[in-house]
Amino acid sequence: MNQPLQIGILNLMHDKLRTKNELQQVLESTIQPVNLQFFYPRLHYQNRAVPTVVKTQAKPLDLAAVAQLDAFIITGAPLDQLEFGQITYLPELQELFKVLKKVPQRLYLCWGAMVALHELYRIDKQLLPRKLFGVYPQQVLTADPLLAGLKNGFWAPHARYAEANRAQIAAHPQLEITAVNQAGNLFLVRNRLGNETLLFSHLEYQADSLEAEYQREIAAHPERHYQQPETSLAPVFGWQRTQQIFFHNWLNLVATTVKNNGGLIYG
Protein backbone atom coordinates (compact mmCIF):
# COMPACT_ATOMS: atom_id res chain seq x y z
CA MET A 1 0.00 0.00 0.00
CA ASN A 2 1.24 3.49 -0.82
CA GLN A 3 2.42 5.70 2.00
CA PRO A 4 -0.20 8.33 2.90
CA LEU A 5 0.23 11.69 1.25
CA GLN A 6 1.06 14.32 3.86
CA ILE A 7 -1.25 17.27 3.20
CA GLY A 8 -1.46 20.47 5.24
CA ILE A 9 -4.55 22.69 5.26
CA LEU A 10 -4.73 26.28 6.49
CA ASN A 11 -8.39 26.55 7.44
CA LEU A 12 -9.55 30.17 7.16
CA MET A 13 -13.25 29.61 6.62
CA HIS A 14 -15.89 31.01 8.95
CA ASP A 15 -17.32 27.63 9.94
CA LYS A 16 -14.07 25.83 10.57
CA LEU A 17 -15.53 22.55 11.77
CA ARG A 18 -17.83 22.26 8.74
CA THR A 19 -14.94 23.07 6.43
CA LYS A 20 -12.71 20.51 8.10
CA ASN A 21 -15.40 17.85 7.72
CA GLU A 22 -15.98 18.78 4.07
CA LEU A 23 -12.30 18.58 3.17
CA GLN A 24 -11.86 15.33 5.05
CA GLN A 25 -14.80 13.88 3.16
CA VAL A 26 -13.57 14.83 -0.32
CA LEU A 27 -9.89 14.05 0.29
CA GLU A 28 -10.29 10.83 2.24
CA SER A 29 -12.81 9.25 -0.14
CA THR A 30 -10.36 8.53 -2.97
CA ILE A 31 -8.03 5.60 -3.44
CA GLN A 32 -5.04 7.74 -2.46
CA PRO A 33 -4.35 7.39 1.29
CA VAL A 34 -3.87 10.80 2.93
CA ASN A 35 -2.85 12.21 6.27
CA LEU A 36 -4.42 15.64 6.75
CA GLN A 37 -2.97 18.25 9.10
CA PHE A 38 -5.08 21.32 9.82
CA PHE A 39 -3.54 24.65 10.83
CA TYR A 40 -4.71 28.11 11.86
CA PRO A 41 -2.82 31.43 11.53
CA ARG A 42 -1.21 32.48 14.81
CA LEU A 43 -1.53 36.21 14.06
CA HIS A 44 -5.29 35.97 13.74
CA TYR A 45 -5.46 35.40 17.50
CA GLN A 46 -2.52 37.52 18.64
CA ASN A 47 -4.66 39.73 20.91
CA ARG A 48 -7.30 37.24 22.00
CA ALA A 49 -7.72 33.68 23.13
CA VAL A 50 -7.87 31.00 20.47
CA PRO A 51 -11.47 29.70 20.42
CA THR A 52 -11.92 26.14 21.65
CA VAL A 53 -13.43 25.03 18.34
CA VAL A 54 -10.25 26.20 16.59
CA LYS A 55 -7.82 24.65 19.10
CA THR A 56 -9.56 21.29 18.97
CA GLN A 57 -9.53 20.95 15.16
CA ALA A 58 -6.24 22.59 14.14
CA LYS A 59 -2.70 23.47 15.22
CA PRO A 60 -0.98 26.85 15.05
CA LEU A 61 0.77 27.29 11.74
CA ASP A 62 4.21 25.67 11.88
CA LEU A 63 6.35 26.65 8.90
CA ALA A 64 9.00 24.03 9.64
CA ALA A 65 6.35 21.31 9.56
CA VAL A 66 4.83 22.75 6.39
CA ALA A 67 8.16 22.48 4.56
CA GLN A 68 8.08 18.69 5.03
CA LEU A 69 4.64 18.16 3.47
CA ASP A 70 3.71 16.71 0.10
CA ALA A 71 0.98 19.26 -0.58
CA PHE A 72 -0.73 22.22 1.03
CA ILE A 73 -4.18 23.79 0.75
CA ILE A 74 -5.24 27.32 1.73
CA THR A 75 -9.01 27.50 2.02
CA GLY A 76 -11.30 30.33 1.20
CA ALA A 77 -12.13 32.99 3.77
CA PRO A 78 -14.96 35.52 4.27
CA LEU A 79 -12.54 38.34 3.49
CA ASP A 80 -13.00 39.05 -0.21
CA GLN A 81 -14.58 42.49 0.39
CA LEU A 82 -11.52 43.65 2.36
CA GLU A 83 -8.25 44.95 0.98
CA PHE A 84 -5.39 42.51 1.51
CA GLY A 85 -3.59 45.07 3.68
CA GLN A 86 -6.49 44.95 6.14
CA ILE A 87 -5.92 41.25 6.90
CA THR A 88 -4.23 40.98 10.29
CA TYR A 89 -2.42 37.76 9.46
CA LEU A 90 -1.21 38.76 5.97
CA PRO A 91 2.45 38.87 7.15
CA GLU A 92 2.09 35.26 8.29
CA LEU A 93 0.65 34.28 4.91
CA GLN A 94 3.54 36.01 3.18
CA GLU A 95 6.01 33.90 5.18
CA LEU A 96 3.95 30.81 4.40
CA PHE A 97 4.11 31.46 0.66
CA LYS A 98 7.91 31.53 0.85
CA VAL A 99 7.97 28.12 2.53
CA LEU A 100 5.39 26.66 0.15
CA LYS A 101 7.89 26.96 -2.70
CA LYS A 102 9.45 23.82 -1.15
CA VAL A 103 6.14 21.91 -1.12
CA PRO A 104 5.54 19.81 -4.27
CA GLN A 105 1.87 20.78 -4.81
CA ARG A 106 -0.21 23.74 -3.63
CA LEU A 107 -3.97 24.20 -3.95
CA TYR A 108 -5.62 27.54 -3.23
CA LEU A 109 -9.40 27.80 -2.85
CA CYS A 110 -11.52 30.90 -3.57
CA TRP A 111 -10.12 33.75 -1.38
CA GLY A 112 -7.03 31.60 -0.90
CA ALA A 113 -6.60 31.74 -4.69
CA MET A 114 -7.06 35.52 -4.71
CA VAL A 115 -4.44 36.18 -2.04
CA ALA A 116 -2.03 33.67 -3.62
CA LEU A 117 -2.32 35.36 -7.02
CA HIS A 118 -1.80 38.75 -5.41
CA GLU A 119 1.22 37.77 -3.33
CA LEU A 120 2.91 35.46 -5.82
CA TYR A 121 2.04 37.06 -9.15
CA ARG A 122 0.87 40.63 -8.31
CA ILE A 123 -2.62 39.97 -9.68
CA ASP A 124 -5.24 42.43 -8.44
CA LYS A 125 -8.49 41.51 -6.74
CA GLN A 126 -11.64 43.33 -7.80
CA LEU A 127 -15.13 43.39 -6.35
CA LEU A 128 -17.96 41.91 -8.40
CA PRO A 129 -21.14 43.95 -9.04
CA ARG A 130 -23.04 41.40 -6.93
CA LYS A 131 -22.15 38.23 -5.08
CA LEU A 132 -21.54 35.28 -7.37
CA PHE A 133 -23.56 32.76 -5.41
CA GLY A 134 -24.98 29.54 -6.76
CA VAL A 135 -24.35 26.53 -8.96
CA TYR A 136 -23.39 27.20 -12.58
CA PRO A 137 -22.20 25.29 -15.67
CA GLN A 138 -18.50 25.66 -16.46
CA GLN A 139 -16.58 25.88 -19.74
CA VAL A 140 -13.20 24.25 -20.36
CA LEU A 141 -10.87 26.66 -22.17
CA THR A 142 -7.82 24.45 -22.46
CA ALA A 143 -6.86 20.89 -21.60
CA ASP A 144 -5.94 20.42 -17.95
CA PRO A 145 -5.22 17.07 -16.23
CA LEU A 146 -7.24 18.26 -13.25
CA LEU A 147 -10.30 18.46 -15.49
CA ALA A 148 -9.79 15.05 -17.13
CA GLY A 149 -13.13 13.26 -17.17
CA LEU A 150 -15.20 16.46 -17.23
CA LYS A 151 -17.00 17.86 -20.26
CA ASN A 152 -18.15 21.39 -21.02
CA GLY A 153 -21.18 22.25 -18.95
CA PHE A 154 -20.01 20.50 -15.78
CA TRP A 155 -21.57 21.99 -12.65
CA ALA A 156 -19.71 23.82 -9.88
CA PRO A 157 -20.69 26.06 -6.94
CA HIS A 158 -19.41 29.63 -6.55
CA ALA A 159 -19.74 31.83 -3.47
CA ARG A 160 -17.76 35.07 -3.51
CA TYR A 161 -17.98 38.84 -3.71
CA ALA A 162 -14.74 39.33 -5.63
CA GLU A 163 -12.67 37.97 -8.49
CA ALA A 164 -9.01 38.02 -9.43
CA ASN A 165 -8.35 40.21 -12.47
CA ARG A 166 -8.84 37.92 -15.45
CA ALA A 167 -7.06 40.19 -17.93
CA GLN A 168 -3.94 40.34 -15.75
CA ILE A 169 -3.94 36.55 -15.38
CA ALA A 170 -4.34 36.03 -19.13
CA ALA A 171 -1.39 38.38 -19.77
CA HIS A 172 0.89 36.74 -17.20
CA PRO A 173 3.45 34.42 -18.82
CA GLN A 174 3.46 32.01 -15.86
CA LEU A 175 -0.30 31.56 -15.57
CA GLU A 176 -3.07 29.96 -17.60
CA ILE A 177 -6.85 30.10 -17.20
CA THR A 178 -8.16 26.61 -17.95
CA ALA A 179 -11.88 26.95 -17.13
CA VAL A 180 -14.51 29.62 -16.43
CA ASN A 181 -18.23 29.66 -15.80
CA GLN A 182 -20.75 30.53 -18.51
CA ALA A 183 -20.49 34.24 -17.64
CA GLY A 184 -16.70 34.23 -17.86
CA ASN A 185 -15.98 34.20 -14.14
CA LEU A 186 -12.90 32.24 -13.13
CA PHE A 187 -13.16 28.59 -12.25
CA LEU A 188 -9.63 27.21 -12.54
CA VAL A 189 -6.20 28.79 -13.00
CA ARG A 190 -2.84 27.01 -12.88
CA ASN A 191 0.75 28.05 -13.13
CA ARG A 192 2.60 26.66 -16.13
CA LEU A 193 4.96 24.66 -13.92
CA GLY A 194 1.96 22.63 -12.79
CA ASN A 195 2.59 22.90 -9.04
CA GLU A 196 0.11 25.65 -8.13
CA THR A 197 -3.63 25.23 -8.64
CA LEU A 198 -6.01 28.14 -8.08
CA LEU A 199 -9.62 27.00 -7.78
CA PHE A 200 -12.27 29.70 -7.56
CA SER A 201 -15.11 27.29 -6.87
CA HIS A 202 -15.96 25.87 -3.45
CA LEU A 203 -15.84 22.32 -4.78
CA GLU A 204 -15.42 21.02 -1.24
CA TYR A 205 -18.99 22.16 -0.45
CA GLN A 206 -21.55 19.48 0.26
CA ALA A 207 -25.19 19.53 -0.84
CA ASP A 208 -26.36 21.88 1.95
CA SER A 209 -23.31 24.14 2.19
CA LEU A 210 -24.58 27.01 0.03
CA GLU A 211 -27.79 27.23 2.03
CA ALA A 212 -25.77 27.09 5.26
CA GLU A 213 -23.64 30.00 4.05
CA TYR A 214 -26.77 32.00 3.24
CA GLN A 215 -28.22 31.32 6.69
CA ARG A 216 -24.93 32.37 8.37
CA GLU A 217 -24.95 35.68 6.52
CA ILE A 218 -28.53 36.61 7.38
CA ALA A 219 -28.07 35.50 11.00
CA ALA A 220 -25.00 37.73 11.33
CA HIS A 221 -26.67 40.77 9.73
CA PRO A 222 -30.48 40.38 9.70
CA GLU A 223 -30.81 44.06 8.80
CA ARG A 224 -29.16 43.49 5.41
CA HIS A 225 -30.55 41.93 2.28
CA TYR A 226 -28.70 38.85 1.09
CA GLN A 227 -29.43 37.00 -2.11
CA GLN A 228 -30.21 33.33 -1.93
CA PRO A 229 -27.99 30.93 -3.87
CA GLU A 230 -28.95 30.44 -7.51
CA THR A 231 -29.55 26.72 -7.79
CA SER A 232 -32.81 26.38 -9.71
CA LEU A 233 -31.20 25.24 -12.96
CA ALA A 234 -28.81 22.73 -11.39
CA PRO A 235 -29.60 19.21 -10.19
CA VAL A 236 -29.55 18.72 -6.42
CA PHE A 237 -25.87 18.44 -5.47
CA GLY A 238 -25.19 18.89 -9.16
CA TRP A 239 -21.45 19.36 -8.59
CA GLN A 240 -20.89 16.06 -6.77
CA ARG A 241 -19.37 14.37 -9.83
CA THR A 242 -17.19 17.43 -10.49
CA GLN A 243 -16.05 17.30 -6.88
CA GLN A 244 -15.17 13.62 -7.03
CA ILE A 245 -13.29 13.88 -10.32
CA PHE A 246 -11.38 17.05 -9.46
CA PHE A 247 -10.09 15.91 -6.08
CA HIS A 248 -9.29 12.46 -7.45
CA ASN A 249 -7.25 14.09 -10.21
CA TRP A 250 -5.53 16.49 -7.81
CA LEU A 251 -4.49 13.75 -5.40
CA ASN A 252 -3.14 11.71 -8.31
CA LEU A 253 -1.15 14.78 -9.35
CA VAL A 254 0.24 15.11 -5.82
CA ALA A 255 1.18 11.42 -5.74
CA THR A 256 2.89 11.60 -9.14
CA THR A 257 4.79 14.75 -8.19
CA VAL A 258 6.02 13.14 -4.98
CA LYS A 259 7.00 9.98 -6.85
CA ASN A 260 9.03 12.12 -9.25
CA ASN A 261 10.71 13.87 -6.29
CA GLY A 262 8.94 17.12 -6.99
CA GLY A 263 9.52 16.97 -10.74
CA LEU A 264 7.26 18.91 -13.07
CA ILE A 265 4.19 17.09 -14.29
CA TYR A 266 2.84 19.41 -16.98
CA GLY A 267 3.39 22.94 -18.09
Side-chain angles (χ1 to χ4, degrees):
M1 183 175 181
N2 295 333
Q3 290 295 316
L5 298 172
Q6 303 298 316
I7 300 176
I9 300 172
L10 186 66
N11 188 353
L12 305 176
M13 290 289 280
H14 177 78
D15 191 336
K16 291 177 172 50
L17 184 58
R18 171 183 278 267
T19 300
K20 180 180 182 180
N21 291 337
E22 289 172 340
L23 286 169
Q24 285 177 322
Q25 183 165 339
V26 299
L27 293 170
E28 294 176 352
S29 62
T30 74
I31 61 173
Q32 292 287 353
V34 297
N35 177 38
L36 305 180
Q37 302 178 46
F38 288 83
F39 299 94
Y40 65 84
R42 298 170 185 264
L43 289 181
H44 189 46
Y45 304 103
Q46 57 185 322
N47 297 316
R48 58 192 174 106
V50 180
T52 300
V53 69
V54 174
K55 289 192 295 185
T56 56
Q57 65 89 29
K59 300 178 291 187
L61 185 61
D62 182 340
L63 296 181
V66 168
Q68 304 303 313
L69 297 172
D70 299 320
F72 200 86
I73 297 171
I74 297 181
T75 71
L79 303 171
D80 43 346
Q81 297 182 85
L82 299 178
E83 296 295 331
F84 292 122
Q86 295 177 270
I87 309 304
T88 58
Y89 51 84
L90 183 63
E92 192 170 8
L93 289 179
Q94 291 168 334
E95 292 304 309
L96 173 61
F97 285 127
K98 295 177 184 178
V99 173
L100 288 179
K101 294 178 181 180
K102 305 175 184 177
V103 176
Q105 285 290 335
R106 290 88 78 180
L107 173 61
Y108 305 117
L109 306 177
C110 202
W111 184 83
M114 297 180 210
V115 70
L117 284 169
H118 181 264
E119 293 299 319
L120 298 172
Y121 301 100
R122 314 317 303 171
I123 302 296
D124 294 332
K125 174 174 69 70
Q126 54 196 31
L127 290 177
L128 294 169
R130 61 193 289 266
K131 185 178 184 181
L132 181 63
F133 193 35
V135 187
Y136 309 96
Q138 313 297 306
Q139 178 185 0
V140 178
L141 300 181
T142 187
D144 189 321
L146 296 178
L147 302 178
L150 295 172
K151 297 180 180 179
N152 276 334
F154 66 88
W155 295 98
H158 292 260
R160 63 181 186 274
Y161 289 93
E163 176 103 320
N165 187 297
R166 180 173 174 178
Q168 291 178 353
I169 296 171
H172 200 291
Q174 298 178 43
L175 298 171
E176 184 171 22
I177 301 168
T178 60
V180 296
N181 74 359
Q182 85 280 17
N185 299 109
L186 297 170
F187 172 76
L188 189 64
V189 176
R190 65 171 173 101
N191 71 347
R192 294 187 184 276
L193 293 178
N195 54 19
E196 287 177 340
T197 301
L198 304 116
L199 178 66
F200 285 82
S201 167
H202 278 286
L203 275 187
E204 80 279 9
Y205 273 11
Q206 297 302 306
D208 63 341
S209 298
L210 288 170
E211 180 62 24
E213 179 172 328
Y214 170 69
Q215 294 298 331
R216 285 197 302 274
E217 286 191 318
I218 62 175
H221 295 284
E223 76 282 2
R224 300 179 187 175
H225 170 73
Y226 289 99
Q227 67 189 68
Q228 291 183 303
E230 299 174 304
T231 60
S232 60
L233 298 180
V236 176
F237 203 2
W239 66 95
Q240 185 176 28
R241 183 173 181 273
T242 306
Q243 177 188 92
Q244 293 169 342
I245 289 175
F246 177 86
F247 284 105
H248 172 82
N249 289 342
W250 184 73
L251 287 174
N252 281 343
L253 180 62
V254 175
T256 305
T257 309
V258 171
K259 183 178 179 180
N260 291 348
N261 296 315
L264 305 184
I265 304 306
Y266 60 99

